[in-house]
Amino acid sequence: MHKNSLLAKSVRFALISGITAAALNVPLSFAADEAGAKVERIAVTGSRIKRADMETASPVSVIDASAIISSGAISVDEVLQKMTSAGGAMTNAGINNGSGGNTRINLRGLGTNRTLVLVNGRRMIASGTGAASSVDLNTIPVSMIQRVEVLKDGASAIYGTDAIAGVVNVILKRDFEGFEVNVQTGISAEGDADETTIDMTLGNTFDKGNLVFGAQYTKRGEASQADRGFSDCPVTETKPDANGKISLYCGGSGYSQGGHIWGDTASLSGLGGTYHEYVTANDAYNYAKDSYLFTPMDRLNLTVAGTYELTENTRFFTEAMYSKRWSNQQMAPQPIWNNDAWVYNPISAGGWMTDELLPWIKPGEELAYGRRMVESGTRDFNQVVDTVRIVVGVEGEFENGWSWDASYNKGRNDSVDTLANLHNLGSINAAVLEGTFDPFLQSSWQGESIAPFIYTEVNSGGSELDIVAATLSGDIVELPAGMMGFAAGYENRKEAAKFTPDSLTAQGLANDPRVEPTSGDFSVNEVYAELAIPLLSNIPLVQQLDLSAAMRYFDYSTFGDDTTWKLGLTWRVYDDLMLRGGLSTAFRAPTVDELYGGKSPSFEQIVHPATEQDQAEVTVGGNPLLTPEEADITTVGLVYSPSFVEGLSMTVDYYDIEISNTITSVDNNYIANQCLDATGNLINTGTALCQSSNIQIDNSGRIKFDNGLQNIGATNTSGYDINVAYAFDALGLDWKVGWDTSILTNYEEFDPDGVAVDYRGYITGGAGAYAKLKSNINLTATADDWSFTYEARYIDGMDSFACIGKESKCYAPSVGSVVYHDLSGSYDLTNNIRLSGGINNLFDKEPPYYTGNNDSNTDPYTYDVLGRYFFVRASMKF
């Protein structure tokens, strides 16, 4: 009766928590006869041991399919990224510059590559564009999701590499009977960013097994930065005046329309076709008006899953997923510049160049030149990405009750991405030296004159995953406090990835610096074991005390072997109260891209007094000498379900994660501020940070430096997750209330010199935000044929990372707190037809502006950029 009571409490909590369920291991499927004589044992995320009561030492959140549907999400990232435990930089549809159309999840703000993504408990292929090293969530169809389990604890001993911040385990529908069709469409209040998705699911259960098939097609439209008042131009701040006042104006890039010339004594603009003195406020190029605020995409997802009973105790199982994505981004026309100065040789001095510069420039003067190629059109990014994942296996039970399975997991991801309207500056520079192309003559950059130098960049990439695995689990021996359980297994995993840049780009003949190819692979053999040991039961103050222990040995072809372990303790004091805690080590092996990624340029937002350019040219790339990250993780929590308040459950969990040997790059603003003074002179040249950066300022005033991956310093973070869930009946309705809160108490990274960089409470220019407090609350009322849900999401105010120590020189050194309000509801028109819809961002909250922002004058990693959004949905099931 004890285990059945635990099961009942856990089931109740799973049902009432919905999207805000957090920190409690809840039973996710169960079967029992009417007398309660038999309870099915299943495995919950974070353990491979099948249990009846589902109580383990690690905090798990559960998001069910109904919560995803009520949010209006057409991709699972739209739900996961709203979790209070998510943070940092998470690519989504609002990321135009550099996203490649990918969407990813980032738990604890520790990076997408430190969050392991599983599908049905097995690894998902790293996917997206290039040599992908984490999972693109576009590959997982929302229509096939039964639930998502989010483990907010390290789990390397259970699952291997990457499970440092936590694990996202997406459970797809496996037992589905009938036929279901859903159609959903949505649009913003501004009439853009329209989304339409249609999906169908067909399933059948027969004597010896079952089969389910799902298909989903999604089409997403775009929104432009030009169509929102907060993003229609790149906001620029003046320097403080004599009274310390700072003003804002519509600025932009120094690589301006008509050309920008830097001479010995003059700075000229060719805007309007006539040269004149360059004035930033008037001549800088407004690149925002050409950029997407919300990126378009088409996506097709196909899924098949099935089982077949081979013998009474043996079943064959398979699951197959295929996704194809067509995505686009659009940015301002290409900015070009000459790496080597062009010598001015006018016709009047016996040369061949235009005389138009003579009032300001002397013959023979060496000139730096930059230009925004408006005449050629916007830079258009396109990606076509194909991802396939197939799992086949056999599972069964021995006569002693032990269960086993053996499987083969094959994944492949292929991508082709193109970038149109680029210019071969290498050829242009050669033509200038030959005297056949006058760069200072406006007509040279137009029509037939420039056409031979325009090209489309074509890159390709891909990744492969092969896993052979076998597991065994069951009960070992009956102890005085209960049955000891175990799980053990073996995995052989091979991963490979590649990226082949366009031939011109690879040779460094284009305007941007040379991009190197990426290619590499590795293999690993792993064995693991896990024990669930009941220590005490049914004594004063100890209803049940259980110890869990796990260990994994791994041997990588790239760096050798090591082990990782985990210990957990659950102490149920009495029916209402359980305490839990865990200690573990975790690791993250460097990916193929991190090891063998070729060097390439990245243009990143930056704020520095030595330049008026708002972007730095940052060279990034892999490092074959990288070694694994290591982590020590501690969690302590309690679960309280008071019997005197039916339907109420509360959890509080503390986490502490200390990562050493961190594989990362340093914040770009931090490098610039540490290594350059206000006038552009090198400082701190004796530090490892500045020596490795090779920082400089080019002839156009742009800051350039290296910021490749290194095993540098450490990353430490800690905080609390709090959840309250309450289900009750009132006014003839069923009510559910959920409240999730995450409190960040520490987030520090250490640079190569051991200097701590504190991110807690800061919002950055490229690494996202690290709010001290995030909180979600929702309320759902349900009747026989309708339901209504209200949700509020709170993000605490933060300070700008770019303004540390110079707040008086920033117009907006901080942002205030932001609250979003969402409404949704559904109505059952008949037994088979349901209509639903909702409004997200009900009060049309604009994202905040802050100095040193990322894009669109804000942080689209963190804030909603679309504003008020409407969606409607029709569902038919037979």
Side-chain angles (χ1 to χ4, degrees):
M1 294 302 292
H2 166 62
K3 287 194 174 183
N4 284 337
S5 69
L6 291 181
L7 181 62
K9 283 180 175 287
S10 297
V11 170
R12 184 182 68 199
F13 185 63
L15 294 175
I16 68 176
S17 296
I19 193 171
T20 62
L24 176 60
N25 286 312
V26 294
L28 304 166
S29 62
F30 64 95
D33 63 17
E34 292 184 359
K38 180 180 179 182
V39 177
E40 181 182 354
R41 295 171 177 264
I42 64 169
V44 70
T45 302
S47 175
R48 294 184 185 272
I49 298 175
K50 296 184 177 182
R51 309 162 189 265
D53 58 19
M54 300 303 114
E55 305 285 4
T56 70
S58 298
V60 175
S61 297
V62 180
I63 305 172
D64 63 18
S66 63
I68 297 174
I69 292 171
S70 68
S71 72
I74 63 170
S75 180
V76 68
D77 65 283
E78 297 177 41
V79 175
L80 293 176
Q81 292 186 2
K82 292 177 182 178
M83 294 179 61
T84 61
S85 56
M90 295 177 285
T91 52
N92 57 66
I95 307 298
N96 182 54
N97 185 1
S99 71
N102 303 302
T103 61
R104 310 200 186 275
I105 178 61
N106 184 350
L107 292 178
R108 307 296 188 203
L110 286 172
T112 58
N113 50 10
R114 296 189 185 105
T115 301
L116 177 62
V117 176
L118 308 174
V119 174
N120 294 335
R122 297 180 176 88
R123 283 182 180 267
M124 182 65 185
I125 173 74
S127 48
T129 48
S133 57
S134 57
V135 175
D136 175 18
L137 297 175
N138 284 307
T139 59
I140 302 174
V142 167
S143 62
M144 287 296 293
I145 294 177
Q146 180 175 324
R147 66 185 181 274
V148 180
E149 303 171 17
V150 182
L151 172 70
K152 294 177 288 187
D153 188 9
S156 288
I158 308 298
Y159 299 112
T161 183
D162 303 340
I164 291 180
V167 178
V168 174
N169 187 11
V170 181
I171 309 299
L172 301 182
K173 296 173 182 175
R174 187 169 177 176
D175 297 319
F176 182 87
E177 189 74 26
F179 177 66
E180 181 177 351
V181 177
N182 302 285
V183 180
Q184 180 175 310
T185 187
I187 195 167
S188 78
E190 300 295 328
D192 53 16
D194 54 297
E195 294 179 332
T196 299
T197 183
I198 180 170
D199 66 76
M200 56 166 286
T201 306
L202 177 65
N204 183 45
T205 299
F206 45 91
D207 288 343
K208 288 186 173 291
N210 58 61
L211 184 67
V212 59
F213 169 78
Q216 181 176 7
Y217 174 74
T218 301
K219 185 177 183 61
R220 184 177 70 206
E222 76 274 2
S224 172
Q225 291 185 23
D227 294 332
R228 300 294 190 279
F230 65 85
S231 62
D232 59 1
C233 76
V235 172
T236 303
E237 301 179 6
T238 64
K239 294 182 179 180
D241 61 18
N243 298 318
K245 182 180 179 181
I246 302 173
S247 301
L248 302 180
Y249 63 93
C250 183
S253 171
Y255 297 98
S256 54
Q257 185 174 352
H260 186 175
I261 299 171
W262 291 268
D264 292 339
T265 60
S267 177
L268 304 181
S269 170
L271 181 64
T274 303
Y275 285 105
H276 54 274
E277 292 282 354
Y278 182 91
V279 179
T280 300
N282 300 324
D283 295 298
Y285 185 75
N286 177 4
Y287 52 81
K289 63 184 178 63
D290 302 309
S291 297
Y292 284 150
L293 180 72
F294 195 76
T295 58
M297 177 193 69
D298 286 45
R299 185 183 69 216
L300 175 66
N301 296 93
L302 302 175
T303 310
V304 178
T307 63
Y308 185 78
E309 185 178 300
L310 300 175
T311 68
E312 183 178 353
N313 295 314
T314 307
R315 291 172 300 280
F316 169 79
F317 65 88
T318 186
E319 56 192 61
M321 303 169 62
Y322 170 74
S323 70
K324 191 176 188 72
R325 166 166 61 89
W326 303 264
S327 52
N328 311 94
Q329 302 85 48
Q330 179 178 291
M331 295 182 66
Q334 185 185 19
I336 66 169
W337 62 93
N338 59 336
N339 288 314
D340 298 315
W342 289 332
V343 177
Y344 183 46
N345 189 11
I347 295 174
S348 61
W352 56 278
M353 292 179 173
T354 177
D355 288 337
E356 294 180 50
L357 307 186
L358 282 175
W360 303 274
I361 306 297
K362 297 178 181 179
E365 190 171 337
E366 293 185 347
L367 303 177
Y369 187 87
R371 186 183 185 93
R372 184 68 58 166
M373 293 304 301
V374 176
E375 297 84 356
S376 303
T378 57
R379 283 171 290 171
D380 299 325
F381 300 76
N382 297 274
Q383 301 88 31
V384 179
V385 184
D386 293 271
T387 306
V388 177
R389 178 181 184 265
I390 299 174
V391 177
V392 293
V394 183
E395 61 185 4
E397 297 83 28
F398 295 116
E399 291 185 1
N400 64 356
W402 289 8
S403 61
W404 60 271
D405 69 75
S407 64
Y408 173 59
N409 181 351
K410 173 68 177 181
R412 183 182 177 94
N413 178 74
D414 294 286
S415 66
V416 175
D417 63 278
T418 62
L419 174 52
N421 294 330
L422 297 181
H423 301 79
N424 187 339
L425 197 69
S427 296
I428 292 175
N429 189 62
V432 173
L433 296 178
E434 293 169 359
T436 59
F437 188 94
D438 182 0
F440 308 119
L441 185 67
Q442 294 292 343
S443 59
S444 297
W445 302 97
Q446 302 169 8
E448 294 301 319
S449 177
I450 194 62
F453 303 103
I454 301 175
Y455 73 100
T456 295
E457 178 181 283
V458 180
N459 309 302
S460 63
S463 58
E464 286 194 67
L465 173 72
D466 292 90
I467 302 177
V468 176
T471 65
L472 179 68
S473 65
D475 293 334
I476 302 177
V477 62
E478 179 80 29
L479 298 177
M483 186 69 71
M484 178 189 295
F486 86 100
Y490 165 80
E491 290 184 7
N492 173 266
R493 187 173 80 254
K494 297 180 180 179
E495 294 190 34
K498 63 181 179 179
F499 170 69
T500 304
D502 183 90
S503 59
L504 285 177
T505 307
Q507 298 175 71
L509 299 178
N511 190 69
D512 292 339
R514 179 173 177 261
V515 175
E516 299 175 347
T518 297
S519 181
D521 59 69
F522 66 81
S523 62
V524 56
N525 286 290
E526 300 178 277
V527 292
Y528 61 89
E530 181 185 1
L531 293 174
I533 307 169
L535 301 178
L536 299 171
S537 67
N538 298 321
I539 63 175
L541 297 180
V542 181
Q543 190 178 84
Q544 186 71 36
L545 182 66
D546 294 331
L547 173 69
S548 60
M551 179 169 286
R552 175 177 289 255
Y553 168 82
F554 49 88
D555 187 2
Y556 277 78
S557 62
T558 45
F559 59 82
D561 63 341
D562 206 344
T563 58
T564 185
W565 56 266
K566 183 171 186 176
L567 294 174
L569 193 71
T570 59
W571 172 18
R572 182 164 292 279
V573 182
Y574 63 107
D575 271 350
D576 297 358
L577 177 64
M578 186 186 79
L579 307 178
R580 62 185 175 199
L583 295 174
S584 65
T585 62
F587 76 101
R588 189 180 74 82
T591 65
V592 171
D593 188 49
E594 289 172 330
L595 288 167
Y596 309 116
K599 293 182 179 179
S600 62
S602 179
F603 295 92
E604 304 290 343
Q605 295 295 114
I606 200 169
V607 177
H608 196 280
T611 180
E612 293 185 354
Q613 300 279 1
D614 58 2
Q615 286 186 326
E617 181 186 314
V618 183
T619 300
V620 299
N623 180 354
L625 301 179
L626 292 174
T627 56
E629 298 178 339
E630 299 176 354
D632 293 311
I633 302 170
T634 302
T635 60
V636 179
L638 64 86
V639 181
Y640 183 53
S641 302
S643 55
F644 54 85
V645 183
E646 181 69 23
L648 177 63
S649 294
M650 297 174 285
T651 68
V652 178
D653 284 278
Y654 169 79
Y655 67 90
D656 182 274
I657 304 173
E658 297 180 355
I659 306 174
S660 57
N661 215 34
T662 306
I663 301 172
T664 189
S665 56
V666 183
D667 179 84
N668 294 309
N669 274 292
Y670 181 75
I671 292 178
N673 290 323
Q674 287 291 307
C675 303
L676 286 180
D677 66 14
T679 60
N681 294 315
L682 299 179
I683 57 175
N684 298 323
T685 54
T687 65
L689 175 70
C690 296
Q691 287 178 351
S692 64
S693 72
N694 297 312
I695 196 165
Q696 58 181 294
I697 299 181
D698 68 14
N699 55 13
S700 69
R702 171 171 281 170
I703 296 176
K704 302 169 62 175
F705 56 88
D706 298 333
N707 195 10
L709 294 173
Q710 304 175 62
N711 287 109
I712 51 176
T715 303
N716 300 333
T717 185
S718 61
Y720 295 88
D721 292 323
I722 303 170
N723 174 259
V724 178
Y726 183 38
F728 59 96
D729 298 329
L731 304 175
L733 302 174
D734 295 328
W735 298 82
K736 299 176 185 177
V737 180
W739 175 52
D740 251 343
T741 295
S742 291
I743 301 171
L744 184 64
T745 57
N746 178 53
Y747 195 107
E748 287 184 328
E749 289 187 356
F750 293 83
D751 72 11
D753 299 291
V755 178
V757 183
D758 185 6
Y759 286 95
R760 177 178 175 264
Y762 286 102
I763 187 168
T764 73
Y770 299 84
K772 295 178 182 178
L773 177 67
K774 296 175 72 175
S775 188
N776 295 347
I777 187 169
N778 69 1
L779 171 67
T780 298
T782 304
D784 291 338
D785 56 1
W786 62 267
S787 68
F788 175 83
T789 298
Y790 162 77
E791 181 175 6
R793 294 178 286 122
Y794 172 86
I795 302 172
D796 201 15
M798 289 170 280
D799 296 324
S800 171
F801 192 82
C803 298
I804 296 176
K806 50 184 178 181
E807 289 80 3
S808 63
K809 297 180 180 180
C810 296
Y811 179 87
S814 63
V815 297
S817 60
V818 172
V819 181
Y820 295 110
H821 303 268
D822 304 329
L823 297 178
S824 63
S826 66
Y827 177 70
D828 293 334
L829 195 62
T830 68
N831 290 334
N832 305 107
I833 300 176
R834 171 174 292 182
L835 302 178
S836 57
I839 306 173
N840 293 330
N841 196 350
L842 178 65
F843 298 111
D844 202 22
K845 183 72 174 181
E846 283 192 356
Y849 167 79
Y850 64 97
T851 304
N853 56 78
N854 177 22
D855 194 15
S856 305
N857 298 315
T858 188
D859 180 16
Y861 289 126
T862 303
Y863 301 110
D864 170 38
V865 295
L866 282 183
R868 187 180 295 117
Y869 198 88
F870 306 90
F871 67 92
V872 293
R873 177 184 179 92
S875 302
M876 294 172 286
K877 186 175 182 179
F878 305 96

